[in-house]
Amino acid sequence: MFPPVAGGAGDDGSAAAEKAGGDAKADATDLPPAEDGWERKTVAYRGISRRLAAHYLRNLGGELVGTDDPAEATRVEGDGWRATLSAEKVTAAAAIRITEVTAEFAGDPDALADLLPKYKQKAMRAGG
């Protein structure tokens, strides 16, 4: 994975990690397509579902790609940005396993600067 740029546990106990750059291990099909001049950001939150992440992104101006059901959504596109969503069970403590949702973003730097704080606020509020 990428080295953390920022992140940590939120007041609600959810873990958040923000990463920059590319992941040599990631399959290129897992990353959203990027236009010239766009940047990539990765954000992961524990304690939310992929359905909620897709719902939040839709409420922030995105449209689901390939489905109308947020529970099935793996891609969301908005004005100047795109995101792919994935979810996996991770170990939080000893035998406790929770869902961690990772959103891979590609977008115009200004669009991401506007979108990501709003998404983070929604995602961190939900975790716990």
Side-chain angles (χ1 to χ4, degrees):
M1 292 302 278
F2 314 108
V5 173
D11 292 336
D12 59 7
S14 65
E18 181 177 340
K19 305 158 192 169
D23 184 348
K25 296 180 185 177
D27 183 346
T29 61
D30 292 341
L31 299 175
E35 308 295 329
D36 286 339
W38 282 18
E39 63 184 24
R40 292 191 182 276
K41 297 283 184 182
T42 301
V43 183
Y45 289 97
R46 294 179 176 177
I48 68 169
S49 64
R50 192 177 67 209
R51 178 191 62 79
L52 276 175
H55 178 73
Y56 296 154
L57 290 171
R58 189 168 61 180
N59 285 343
L60 292 170
E63 292 186 26
L64 305 181
V65 176
T67 185
D68 292 329
D69 182 1
E72 299 297 321
T74 58
R75 291 196 47 211
V76 183
E77 294 187 0
D79 187 21
W81 59 270
R82 296 181 184 119
T84 57
L85 301 172
S86 62
E88 67 178 315
K89 292 287 187 178
V90 296
T91 301
I96 299 172
R97 295 189 49 85
I98 60 175
T99 301
E100 178 177 84
V101 173
T102 301
E104 300 275 358
F105 290 92
D108 175 79
D110 292 334
L112 291 182
D114 183 53
L115 174 70
L116 289 178
K118 294 174 185 174
Y119 175 70
K120 290 176 188 178
Q121 181 180 16
K122 289 179 175 288
M124 287 188 69
R125 184 173 55 210

